[in-house]
Amino acid sequence: MSSNPSAAPAIQLIGIEKKFGAVHANKNINLTVAKGSIHGIIGENGAGKSTLMSILYGFYHADAGEIRVNGAPIRIPDSQAAINAGIGMVHQHFMLVENFSVLENVILGVEGGALLGKGVSEARSALKRLEADYGLEVDPDAIIEELPVGLQQRVEILKALYRGAEVLILDEPTGVLTPAEADHLFKILGVLRDQGKTILLITHKLREIMAITDTVSVMRRGEMVATRKTAETTVEELAELMVGRRVLLRVDKGPANPGDVVLSVRDLVVKDNRGVTMVDGVSFDVRAGEVVGIAGVAGNGQSELLEAITGIRKPTSGEILIHGQPVTGFDAARLRTLGLGHIPEDRHRMGLVLKFEESENSVLGYHRAPAYGKGMALDLNACREDAKRKIEKYDIRPPNCRLKTANFSGGNQQKIVVAREIENDPSLLVVGQPTRGVDIGAIEFIHRRLIAMRDAGKAVLLVSVELDEIRSLSDRILVMFAGHVVGEKSPETGEQTLGLMMAGIAA
Amino acid sequence: MSTASVPLPNWITYGLMPFLSLLTAFLISGGVVWFIGESPLDAVTLLLQGALGNGEGIGFTLYYATNFIFTGLSVAVAYHAGLFNIGSEGQAYLGGLGAALAALALDNYVPWYVTMPFAVLGSAAFGALWALIPAWLQAKRGSHIVITTIMFNFIGAALMVYLLVHVLIVPGKMAPETRVFLEGGQLPKLGWLIALFGGKIGAAPFNMSFLISLFMCFAVWLLIWRTKLGYEIRTLGANPTAAAYAGIPYVRTVMITMLISGGLAGMMALNPVLGASARLQVEFVGGAGFVGIAVSLMGRSHPLGIVLAAILFGILYQGGDALSFDMPKITRDMIVVIQGLVVLFAGALEYMYRPAIVRVWQRLGKA
């Protein structure tokens, strides 16, 4: 670690407070980040990490508290002020113009005048310098949308450095990266630190914290609960600090009792919207009474596989059978009548209509059923009664079926989806990222429900990028890499082995 | 934190905010009137007098409002599915052909109440037909419906001129219009309705179509909020990915929505063609299709809001006529400017006052 203990800390947060209505997102946060260090901030989804960083980057204003940069108190009313103070941010979702070149993206907003010529040539030489200093190689004339995700992220880092960032905030930077790309990113971060930059790494992955940070701070429910030297802590201690109690890495469940094959996938090939083959000849079965988990780094074809099985995306070739009946190319409505339930990967984009009332979402996909109105009519009272039943059974809060869905928390929104899909009693339940952005209480609840479905003799197909979730829920694990199923393992298989398979290194 | 997500009570969102927008539009219009040397107060008085001062004025106001209700509903139904139908103008024009053909075929043989359902169906069918090709191009080929419906406005206009000049024209006459319909092809005036409130309809062409338009408001409300199809339309408009997830067929829903939208636009023709002039004339739509966009925007795509917005635009049309008659300095173009300001503030800048209102509301809440 190259930090100089006598120098003022790069960032100091003192007594930061932030409330959103009734939600206390940040409670009296104190944080000191030493210059020239990599400081990890870890916490569950909803612990307040992103809010805190948004305050530091000027997206939100703290209700109270002070921010000091290099020892001097400053006000950060907007992101421009943050940039002026030498703070740069690499967002989880990249802020790049896809059809611009790397160079154009880097100078966007700092063109330096009405005419581009001078700014462009200055930026070109500046990029060369940054490349030499930090090993950040990118072709300045490449078009963003043609670059792989890892390089796009590098452009984001270049953008921040070009604007003179001394402190870099990275928000969940590895969520979209392959393990190899993530390793490369960590190497770059190491170089940046050695050159005196300060890095704030936001993540909920313990492995990353242990691999790269010097210091780690843990957030839980809006509070900063601990700060540790990474070298002096363990994964177990951090996990316990994050959750606030001993973590049950395993869900209590008995042995599976597999029955007949419910879902059969044969030589399935699926292309994405750009025409790239994302699923390349995948075959597997899911039996009644078992949970089959599909592990893999995001973007290796799991999403397209799910969409093909659930009737949202037409497969290019191959066959899908439910209870032995060919259903390839059926639309989602038809598949539901055949006993398919689908908890989608992204509830905002797919599983819910956020501006609808809760009761309207609790029938989405099943709205044509006679129970919700005869013939053409939609019986709102029937929908609301039905919604009230689900709200009570799944403890959805607030218990108000007339409330706009957008006003529910992430965990409760997910419960709305889970309740809808499970209560329609499917014989095959297809689940994608069931606990993404969901608080710990809801995670356990959802996990228990999924196991209860299995025990009731339903077939469950689970896709998740969280290896822990896959291992604790599944009876069999299929690993996907680059559109192929590269192997089947038992859930007892070590994380190491599965991780290597996910990286395409071992089969 | 941004103020966009702070919930406000309905009376503020649907009452106070449109009112403030409207007030702003009128204040700026008043400034313009003052600038050209007329008294804004006199102008407002004349405008309101002309639009609402007597039975005839009210009759004209509601006649115009009827047009805007139909086209406003047309735009609103498409909007609920996330489709921006700019083609109500052309669909209404073609609807006129359907209505006129029914009247021409039947007026000699049957009374108006027999002709009416055929005219309603004819106008709706022709309007829907004119929306069919853009709908199909959007649903199947992804051609943007804004572009195609605009182009179909021009194609429709050319087609109608051709038909009126070469086919439907009365032999030996110069005017490009059909013959005048007999009584069996005319919709009766609603003088009794005005009389109910103690007014006289005079020469105002206020007619049966108004009641049809109100009925369609109810029908659209029922469709959008009380049927499964309406639910699917709203889902598609609010979140197309969720619609695919729910198995709502994109092509079919887009086609049906646009047919309904085009049909509603087509029915607008009943008002001028069967209700007012009793013949089919060139350019009888006169921009009502485009006003429908503003009406739908201002009425928040809700039938009740559309009726109110349509009446407001009816007042501006009729009152504007009266105003330009009495104040020669205020020309017809000035009226268009005022209407434009109303659209700008009440439609396009509908949320302009929201942040300020939210701040005041929060302060009141804390106190």
Side-chain angles (χ1 to χ4, degrees), chain A residues 20 312 332-333 336 342 344 348-353 355-356 360 363-365 367-369 372-373 375-378 380 420-421, chain B residues 1-2 5 7 223 225-232 234-249 252-253:
Chain A
F20 296 111
I312 294 162
R336 277 200 178 81
H342 178 199
H348 289 175
R349 209 172 65 85
M350 196 173 269
L352 296 166
V353 182
K355 68 177 203 182
F356 278 9
E360 291 177 293
V363 302
L364 183 69
H367 56 276
R368 288 190 198 155
Y372 303 126
M376 293 267 292
L378 185 69
L380 293 188
R420 179 181 71 209
E421 298 304 318
Chain B
M1 189 187 173
S2 84
S5 55
L223 167 77
W225 281 283
R226 290 293 184 277
T227 68
K228 291 174 178 175
L229 176 62
Y231 178 84
E232 298 194 341
R234 285 185 294 129
T235 303
L236 184 64
N239 186 345
T241 325
Y245 161 78
I248 294 166
R252 204 190 74 173
T253 312

Side-chain angles (χ1 to χ4, degrees), chain A residues 11-28:
Chain A
I11 299 282
Q12 219 177 343
L13 302 177
I14 302 161
I16 297 289
E17 283 278 334
K18 181 72 197 174
K19 279 185 186 174
F20 296 111
V23 181
H24 209 151
N26 283 167
K27 289 179 214 165
N28 188 28

Side-chain angles (χ1 to χ4, degrees), chain A residues 272-304:
Chain A
D272 69 3
N273 294 339
R274 296 166 299 168
V276 179
T277 302
M278 295 301 286
V279 178
D280 196 2
V282 164
S283 302
F284 61 89
D285 289 335
V286 184
R287 291 171 177 277
E290 68 169 353
V291 177
V292 173
I294 295 185
V297 178
N300 276 285
Q302 305 97 311
S303 305
E304 288 74 15

Side-chain angles (χ1 to χ4, degrees), chain A residues 80-130:
Chain A
Q80 192 55 48
I83 291 167
N84 293 343
I87 299 170
M89 184 143 177
V90 175
H91 297 270
Q92 195 173 357
H93 304 284
F94 303 149
M95 309 277 175
L96 296 169
V97 183
E98 296 236 311
N99 53 357
F100 274 17
S101 72
V102 170
L103 195 65
E104 286 168 325
N105 268 288
V106 167
I107 63 166
L108 191 67
V110 285
E111 299 89 347
L115 295 176
L116 280 180
K118 186 156 154 277
V120 167
S121 58
E122 275 174 10
R124 197 177 284 277
S125 52
L127 276 186
K128 280 222 181 79
R129 210 168 50 242
L130 290 172

